Structures are given as structure tokens and as C-alpha cells.
Amino acid sequence: KYNVAVVGATGLVGSKILEIMEERNFPVEKLYLFSSKKSSGSEINYQGEKYIVEELNENSFERDIDIAFFAAGGSVSAKYALKASKKGIKVIDNSSYFRMDKDIPLIVPEINPEDIKKGYGIYANPNCSTIQSVLSLKPLYDKFGIKRVIYSSYQSVSGSGIEGLEDLKNGT
């Protein structure tokens, strides 16, 4: 079992991470939920237990945490991900902040799981439309090679978080 932190636990992506962890019965020993000051103090149910969301701060990673899922945007990742990784915590970052950093592996588990051995404890993932496209392109590349891809994507409003969904709802 792992001691897991979810940064941005009350947001759209953070709540989805928790939902998927629960669906897959991810082996959690201790769960730490972090958010902004605005959402701290709220309660989240996870596997039949209530957890109080804490405000993310400079001391949040002074605990025995194995894995931290970051789902709070690039500015939060920029400020806290390196601090967490220096404590030996494996950081899985869902923001765009580290995606182009040559020292941070950009991981799609079905495509390049071996790259998890690279880097220094921070792992980035591509955006959702990129993940979907490389899943279908990789077998084609392996079998035939690819010279060029022209790809257009039309992003969902959910990419802007809960505020974007509320704005869409209020505007319709």
C-alpha cells in the first residue's frame, strides 16, 4: 500500500483521480488531500471514509508520502513539485508545466513505460488529446513508420476546470 497525496483534490482533475483510484481499488495506506485556501476544510469521501482537505503549503510534504498526484495547474506544480520530489516523493504532474522539460520524462504508460526510470522523481503526462492520438499512432509507427501527422483537436470546456464548466452552464 502507498501513502498518496492528491494536490488539487477538490478540482475537476483531482476529483477524477480520486474516482479512478477508488474504482481500481488503488492500494492506499494513507491519503492526503490538498487544495487552495478556498477549498481547504471541505470533506471528501473516499472508500467509505471522510477526509478533510488541507490547504497546500510549504510544509505539506513533510510527511511520509510515496506518490503525489498534482492536478492544480502549472503555477502550483512550479512551486511545489520539485519540493515534493526532493523529499523522495514520486510526483505525477497533470499540468503543462514540465511537459517540455528535457529532464522530466513525458510518460504515456502504454507507449513508453520504460521512461519511468529516467528523471528524478517527477513525471509529466501529455494533454488528453495527445495521449489519445499517440495510443493509436504508436502501433502504426512501429509497423510502418510515420513521416508526418496533421492533427487538429477541439478542446472541451472541462479543460478549464470547474470554473469553465460553471461558466458554460450559466451561459447556456
Side-chain angles (χ1 to χ4, degrees), residues 8-29:
T10 59
L12 207 55
V13 176
S15 61
K16 193 60 158 177
I17 288 170
L18 288 167
E19 181 183 320
I20 291 169
M21 285 173 52
E22 194 164 23
E23 273 176 20
R24 296 183 180 186
N25 202 24
F26 191 82
V28 174
E29 181 71 33

Side-chain angles (χ1 to χ4, degrees), residues 121-149:
I122 298 175
Y123 310 98
N125 63 4
N127 77 0
C128 52
S129 57
T130 301
I131 293 169
Q132 292 172 19
S133 66
V134 298
L135 287 174
S136 59
L137 290 172
K138 177 73 163 98
L140 294 171
Y141 175 80
D142 289 345
K143 185 152 180 129
F144 305 108
I146 295 175
K147 291 183 181 178
R148 181 175 173 196
V149 173

Side-chain angles (χ1 to χ4, degrees), residues 27-90:
V28 174
E29 181 71 33
K30 291 182 183 174
L31 181 63
Y32 302 99
L33 304 177
F34 300 114
S35 72
S36 66
K37 185 176 185 175
K38 180 177 84 174
S39 297
S40 68
S42 57
E43 288 184 358
I44 292 179
N45 288 313
Y46 179 80
Q47 293 189 337
E49 285 189 51
K50 285 186 179 183
Y51 291 86
I52 304 297
V53 179
E54 301 175 51
E55 180 180 357
L56 182 66
N57 63 51
E58 298 292 328
N59 300 313
S60 294
F61 301 106
E62 300 291 330
R63 310 165 197 220
D64 184 22
I65 298 172
D66 301 306
I67 303 167
F69 292 98
F70 274 66
S75 62
V76 173
S77 293
K79 185 172 182 180
Y80 292 104
L82 193 55
K83 292 176 190 213
S85 76
K86 285 183 179 178
K87 298 284 183 185
I89 299 167
K90 301 297 182 197

